């Protein structure tokens, strides 16, 4: 057995470096020595055997080294992000041009004609949209207003309110009078109260639909609004009222303690005059779960389907209960490991509904004469349902409620959206597939899928625009079978979808999913009709920016006059107006005013007018392409299909004629050259 001294002596005699290849006698001249043999040497630590750590210190050493490596990676990542942030071009930030100060917190807003309606504590307020001056305050409710809708009826305005109790109020705003109709779903017994979950008023105010919930059930009530009757009742009340009664009504109005109240506008609330109730025409319930058939033969199934109503809904089938049970057993056995565990409670069935105008897709009976611009069909789809149901509005409450048409989809419909002109419809399924419909022409524009991992959250239509000399502009005349929309996904990414009749739909990412800065995730999107191709983007950190979807760039940003920090994810309350071109945004960080003893909470609504900002004033004023430019082939994609086909054929014929002329000239040159050669040969 060797002694420690001998081992130490052997280590001292070892070379500090060992070579991996056999040793050779070097050349006597230095220039012949190899220069790339540095990798043939491995430097070894003579004390490596003594420095080897035992467990658990070796594991601790690895963990410490790993901690230092990861910390260094985080430091480098932060430095890279800081450098990228500093090199990023910050957009111009514009402050609001006006501010509406309120003593109570506003919950919702709506715009119609020249008026702004703000719903809040125990009622709503009416403001002049151009001057932002208060006109009237209606506070006749016992609870706050949570949702408000204002529909333009021409010279009148229909106001629909939903309060915290879910009760619906309809008010008729006519000239200088405010009339009220009886609440639709109000009952005396509070335990039997029916709450409104969603409401929709058709353009022009001919129909209204309310999604109601009560006694554990959910259903959709559809009403026809008696506009002509209301107008006659209002005119009759004005003719029969005398001057003394008018003075008495003015004196009984609640006083409004505000300095900016317009004194030249007198609005009377005529609560003693009750307008006629809307006419209930239809009650739609969610589709029943599909169960085993009770039919004994296929002939009974076809006999159940009358005039093809309900065909495609899946309710009338010939699948027996035993077959359903067998399929359920196979499914549970195949996916047992995924099904084990607590079952989540199914969400309440919700409905999304749209009022559709007469079109080539929707066939109406010949005996039914529908006025122009009046909806004729209600489109509905329910939570978890594959089908988009079409119900005719030309019926009464006694008629059987069966859908006149069913559009089945391959997956459950998650989101649907109808354009403002009611010409286009987009159905987004839960698998991320979008189906684009041209209702006016009567055919689908195409089917397109969102990128992998993206699922639709909301769809926003853009008025069709073209790019001329780097500027977005609207065609002077309406275009057909061409649409653009932006799609906000659940992962906060934003995409632009375009489609037309001659080309399939295309999709382009405008904003990618945020990777590191989650506070910059998009929470809401709103198109700006006054600015072609522009959308407002609201982020969770409270920032608001304006994006040009054609370029995919941020034009500018908007911010409150004072900085604030949001404590919870931001859910902005805003409204966008086309005339005047502006948008209003609620201040979600109210502040105290006054002394400490007599402090009051000050709420605000900020007013942003696009024409008051240098970068946007020219865009909003010059945003239309003359028809002459379109006729001169400046933008052939905006022309109707017939004109484009005609011009294509003319161009083809012109090219064919030019080719024939060139061919004739070519043969003439060949003949002249042949004659020249013949003369030369003859001379020789």
């Amino acid at each position: 057995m060797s002694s420690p001294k001998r081992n130490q002596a052997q280590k001292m005699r070892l070379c500090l470096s060992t070579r991996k290849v056999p040793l050779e006698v070097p050349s006597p001249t230095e220039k012949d020595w190899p220069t790339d043999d540095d990798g043939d040497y491995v430097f070894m630590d003579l004390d490596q055997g003594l420095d080897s750590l035992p467990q658990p210190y070796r594991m601790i050493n690895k963990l410490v080294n790993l901690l230092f490596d990861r910390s260094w990676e985080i430091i480098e990542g932060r430095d890279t992000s800081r450098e990228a942030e500093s090199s990023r071009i910050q957009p111009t930030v514009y402050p609001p041009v006006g501010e509406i100060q309120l003593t109570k917190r506003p919950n919702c807003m709506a715009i119609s004609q020249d008026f702004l309606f703000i719903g809040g504590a125990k009622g709503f307020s009416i403001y002049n949209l151009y001057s932002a001056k208060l006109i009237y305050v209606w506070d006749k409710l016992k609870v706050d207003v949570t949702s408000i809708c204002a529909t333009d009826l021409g010279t009148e305005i229909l106001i629909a309110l939903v309060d915290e109790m879910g009760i619906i109020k309809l008010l008729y705003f006519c000239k200088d009078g405010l009339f009220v109709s009886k609440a639709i779903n109000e009952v005396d017994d509070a335990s039997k109260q029916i709450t409104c979950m969603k409401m929709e008023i058709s353009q022009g105010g001919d129909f209204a639909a309310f999604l109601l919930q009560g006694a554990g059930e959910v259903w959709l009530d559809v009403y026809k609004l008696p506009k002509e009757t209301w107008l006659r009742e209002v005119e009759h009340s004005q003719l029969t009222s005398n001057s003394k009664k008018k003075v008495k009504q003015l004196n009984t109005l609640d006083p409004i303690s505000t300095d900016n109240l317009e004194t030249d506008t007198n609005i009377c609330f005529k609560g003693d005059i009750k307008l006629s109730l809307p006419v209930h025409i239809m009650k739609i319930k969610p589709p029943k779960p599909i169960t085993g058939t009770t039919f004994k033969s296929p002939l009974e199934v076809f006999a159940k389907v009358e005039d093809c109503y309900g065909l495609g809904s899946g309710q009338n089938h010939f699948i027996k209960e035993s077959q359903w049970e067998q399929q359920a057993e196979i499914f549970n056995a195949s996916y047992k490991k995924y099904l084990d565990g607590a079952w989540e409670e199914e969400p309440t069935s919700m409905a999304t509904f749209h009022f559709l105008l007469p079109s080539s897709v929707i066939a109406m009976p010949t005996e039914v004469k529908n006025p122009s611009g009046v909806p004729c069909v209600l489109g509905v789809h329910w939570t978890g349902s594959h089908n988009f149901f079409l119900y005719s509005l030309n019926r009464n409450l006694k008629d059987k409620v069966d859908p006149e048409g069913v559009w089945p989809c391959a997956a459950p419909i998650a989101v649907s959206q109808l354009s403002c002109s009611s010409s286009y419809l987009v159905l987004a399924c839960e698998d991320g597939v979008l189906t684009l419909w041209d209702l006016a022409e009567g055919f689908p524009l195409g089917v397109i899928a969102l990128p992998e991992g993206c699922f639709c959250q909301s769809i926003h239509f853009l008025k069709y625009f073209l790019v001329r000399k780097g500027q977005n502009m609207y065609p002077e005349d309406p275009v057909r079978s061409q649409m653009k929309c932006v799609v906000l996904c659940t992962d906060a990414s934003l995409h632009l979808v375009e489609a037309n009749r001659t080309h399939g739909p295309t999709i382009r990412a405008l904003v990618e999913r945020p990777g590191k800065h989650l506070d910059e995730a998009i929470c809401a999107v709103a198109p700006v009709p006054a600015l072609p191709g522009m959308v407002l983007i609201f982020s969770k950190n409270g920032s608001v920016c304006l994006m040009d979807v054609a370029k995919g760039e941020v034009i500018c940003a908007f911010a409150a006059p004072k900085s604030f920090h949001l404590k919870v994810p931001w859910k902005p309350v805003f409204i966008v107006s086309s005339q005047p071109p502006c948008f209003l945004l609620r201040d979600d960080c109210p502040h105290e005013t006054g002394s400490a003893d007599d402090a009051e909470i000050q709420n605000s609504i900020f007013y942003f007018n696009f024409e008051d900002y240098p970068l946007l004033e020219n865009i909003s004023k010059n945003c239309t392409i003359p028809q002459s430019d379109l006729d001169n082939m400046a933008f052939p994609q905006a022309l109707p299909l017939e004109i484009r086909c005609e011009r294509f054929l003319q161009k083809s014929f012109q090219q064919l004629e030019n080719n024939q002329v060139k061919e004739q000239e070519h043969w003439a040159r060949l003949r002249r050259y042949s004659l020249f050669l013949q003369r030369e040969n003859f001379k020789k």
Side-chain angles (χ1 to χ4, degrees):
M1 186 174 181
S2 60
S3 63
K5 294 183 178 181
R6 183 177 179 181
N7 294 337
Q8 187 70 20
Q10 290 178 354
K11 293 178 180 179
M12 294 296 295
R13 288 195 296 270
L14 289 175
C15 183
L16 291 178
S17 63
T18 59
R19 189 164 183 162
K20 295 187 290 184
V21 297
L23 295 176
E24 298 179 356
V25 178
S27 175
T29 58
E30 185 177 354
K31 64 181 181 179
D32 296 332
W33 292 356
T35 58
D36 55 349
D37 59 347
D38 295 340
D40 295 338
Y41 294 91
V42 179
F43 292 91
M44 301 178 62
D45 187 2
L46 298 178
D47 298 331
Q48 186 177 6
L50 300 178
D51 292 343
S52 179
L53 296 174
Q55 291 288 11
Y57 302 104
R58 191 162 61 249
M59 181 185 68
I60 296 174
N61 182 53
K62 290 182 178 180
L63 292 176
V64 173
N65 291 333
L66 180 62
L67 179 62
F68 276 108
D69 292 341
R70 290 185 176 179
S71 301
W72 187 250
E73 290 177 359
I74 294 175
I75 294 173
E76 289 182 340
R78 290 182 177 179
D79 289 341
T80 304
S81 301
R82 192 179 295 110
E83 292 178 359
E85 186 70 23
S86 60
S87 61
R88 183 193 301 179
I89 300 176
Q90 299 295 333
T92 305
V93 181
Y94 291 120
V97 297
E99 180 180 359
I100 301 176
Q101 297 182 353
L102 305 170
T103 57
K104 297 180 181 180
R105 181 178 177 82
N107 297 325
C108 49
M109 292 183 288
I111 289 177
S112 182
Q113 296 182 9
D114 299 337
F115 302 99
L116 168 66
F117 303 89
I118 302 176
K122 298 183 179 181
F124 66 95
S125 305
I126 304 177
Y127 285 80
N128 186 296
L129 188 57
Y130 288 86
S131 61
K133 297 295 183 178
L134 180 63
I135 298 175
Y136 182 69
V137 176
W138 186 81
D139 52 357
K140 306 297 181 180
L141 300 178
K142 298 180 180 179
V143 293
D144 295 352
V145 173
T146 58
S147 178
I148 186 170
C149 176
T151 305
D152 187 2
L153 304 182
T155 57
E156 302 83 22
I157 299 175
L158 175 64
I159 306 169
L161 307 175
V162 178
D163 59 21
E164 292 179 330
M165 301 297 293
I167 300 176
I168 308 165
K169 290 279 189 181
L170 295 180
L171 295 98
Y172 192 75
F173 184 30
C174 176
K175 296 180 180 178
D176 57 350
L178 188 63
F179 302 84
V180 65
S181 177
K182 185 179 178 181
I184 294 178
N185 59 334
E186 189 174 12
V187 295
D188 297 332
D189 190 356
S191 61
K192 299 180 181 180
Q193 180 61 53
I194 299 174
T195 59
C196 178
M197 305 171 65
K198 187 186 297 185
M199 66 176 175
E200 185 77 23
I201 310 294
S202 67
Q203 291 188 17
D206 295 283
F207 296 93
F210 306 99
L211 183 64
L212 304 177
Q213 181 181 20
E217 296 182 353
V218 177
W219 67 94
L220 184 63
D221 273 349
V222 184
Y223 292 85
K224 185 175 182 179
L225 304 179
K227 297 192 304 180
E228 293 79 7
T229 305
W230 286 346
L231 184 58
R232 288 195 299 267
E233 292 174 349
V234 169
E235 292 177 350
H236 178 72
S237 65
Q238 292 177 350
L239 292 175
T240 56
S241 60
N242 52 34
S243 60
K244 295 182 179 180
K245 193 172 182 180
K246 290 183 179 180
V247 173
K248 182 178 179 181
Q249 288 179 350
L250 287 173
N251 294 334
T252 55
L253 285 175
D254 294 339
I256 302 172
S257 58
T258 179
D259 296 334
N260 61 344
L261 179 63
E262 286 193 351
T263 58
D264 57 345
T265 305
N266 296 322
I267 298 178
C268 301
F269 173 66
K270 302 181 180 181
D272 56 334
I273 301 175
K274 296 293 184 180
L275 301 181
S276 300
L277 286 175
V279 181
H280 190 196
I281 61 174
M282 188 167 31
K283 181 178 181 179
I284 305 173
K285 294 184 178 181
K288 298 178 181 179
I290 300 178
T291 57
T293 183
T294 58
F295 302 112
K296 297 180 180 180
S297 66
L299 295 177
E300 294 184 7
V301 178
F302 289 105
K304 182 69 175 177
V305 181
E306 300 177 359
D307 300 331
C308 298
Y309 287 169
L311 186 63
S313 62
Q315 296 292 335
N316 302 319
H317 57 83
F318 198 60
I319 302 175
K320 297 182 179 180
E321 187 70 29
S322 58
Q323 295 174 310
W324 286 112
E325 294 176 355
Q326 184 180 3
Q327 289 293 330
E329 291 177 359
I330 296 174
F331 179 83
N332 293 333
S334 302
Y335 300 97
K336 182 179 180 180
K337 60 180 180 179
Y338 302 104
L339 298 176
D340 292 340
W343 286 84
E344 296 182 359
E345 185 179 357
E346 293 186 2
T348 304
S349 183
M350 294 289 292
T352 304
F353 39 95
H354 310 282
F355 290 99
L356 308 180
L357 298 176
S359 63
S360 302
V361 177
I362 303 168
M364 295 299 297
T366 55
E367 64 274 7
V368 177
K369 295 182 179 180
N370 204 63
S372 177
V374 177
C376 63
V377 168
L378 180 69
V380 184
H381 69 87
W382 297 85
T383 303
S385 175
H386 294 240
N387 301 322
F388 187 76
F389 298 95
L390 302 175
Y391 295 90
S392 174
L393 296 174
N394 295 283
R395 66 173 78 218
N396 53 51
L397 194 58
K398 296 180 180 180
D399 296 337
K400 188 177 180 181
V401 182
D402 283 331
E404 276 70 19
V406 180
W407 294 354
C409 296
I413 303 174
V415 181
S416 64
Q417 187 61 44
L418 183 70
S419 64
C420 296
S421 61
S422 300
S423 300
Y424 306 101
L425 175 69
V426 177
L427 301 178
C429 296
E430 292 182 356
D431 57 358
V433 176
L434 306 179
T435 304
L436 316 176
W437 282 92
D438 184 352
L439 300 179
E441 298 297 328
F443 61 88
L445 290 173
V447 178
I448 193 169
L450 295 171
E452 186 178 0
C454 296
F455 304 99
C456 180
Q457 177 179 336
S458 62
I459 302 171
H460 308 271
F461 277 95
L462 301 174
K463 186 178 178 181
Y464 190 80
F465 66 93
L466 301 169
V467 182
R468 179 192 185 190
K469 298 180 181 180
Q471 182 178 352
N472 304 337
M473 304 190 76
Y474 292 134
E476 188 175 10
D477 294 340
V479 297
R480 296 191 303 175
S481 301
Q482 300 183 81
M483 54 83 67
K484 296 184 181 183
C485 65
V486 291
V487 180
L488 177 62
C489 297
T490 54
D491 61 353
S493 61
L494 189 65
H495 304 269
L496 174 65
V497 177
E498 302 181 60
N500 56 53
R501 177 187 288 185
T502 56
H503 300 85
T506 60
I507 188 170
R508 176 166 58 91
L510 298 176
V511 179
E512 298 290 347
R513 175 184 179 182
K516 298 181 180 179
H517 305 286
L518 298 180
D519 59 337
E520 296 181 356
I522 301 175
C523 61
V525 175
V528 182
L531 305 176
M534 305 286 181
V535 294
L536 288 171
I537 296 178
F538 301 83
S539 302
K540 291 184 178 180
N541 58 2
S543 63
V544 183
C545 61
L546 183 69
M547 171 175 280
D548 184 350
V549 299
K551 302 177 182 178
E553 299 177 354
V554 175
I555 303 300
C556 61
F558 305 95
K562 57 182 183 300
S563 60
F564 55 87
H565 178 70
L566 299 174
K567 298 181 180 180
V568 295
W570 192 33
K571 295 182 179 180
V573 176
F574 61 92
I575 189 73
V576 181
S577 171
S578 58
Q579 197 58 244
C582 66
F583 80 97
L584 296 98
L585 177 65
R586 183 184 70 179
D587 181 12
D588 286 339
C589 290
H591 56 281
E592 294 184 356
T593 58
S595 60
D597 298 335
D598 192 17
E600 294 182 358
I601 302 297
Q602 184 68 49
N603 297 271
S604 300
I605 293 179
F606 298 119
Y607 182 88
F608 298 87
N609 193 328
F610 299 118
E611 292 182 342
D612 290 341
Y613 304 122
L615 289 177
L616 306 176
E617 58 180 352
N618 293 330
I619 300 178
S620 61
K621 294 178 181 179
N622 304 315
C623 61
T624 304
I625 303 176
Q627 187 64 30
S628 57
D629 291 349
L630 297 178
D631 295 337
N632 293 331
M633 293 294 293
F635 301 95
Q637 66 271 24
L639 296 174
L641 183 61
E642 294 79 3
I643 299 178
R644 294 166 61 184
C645 292
E646 182 181 355
R647 292 188 175 183
F648 175 76
L649 293 175
Q650 291 177 355
K651 185 177 180 180
S652 300
F653 289 143
Q654 185 67 31
Q655 291 179 351
L656 182 61
E657 292 177 357
N658 295 337
N659 293 335
Q660 292 177 353
V661 172
K662 291 181 180 179
E663 186 177 359
Q664 293 175 359
E665 293 177 352
H666 176 69
W667 284 109
R669 286 195 296 269
L670 288 178
R671 286 194 296 271
R672 288 195 297 269
Y673 184 67
S674 177
L675 293 174
F676 173 75
L677 292 177
Q678 292 178 5
R679 285 195 296 269
E680 292 294 327
N681 293 332
F682 179 76
K683 292 179 181 179
K684 292 180 180 179

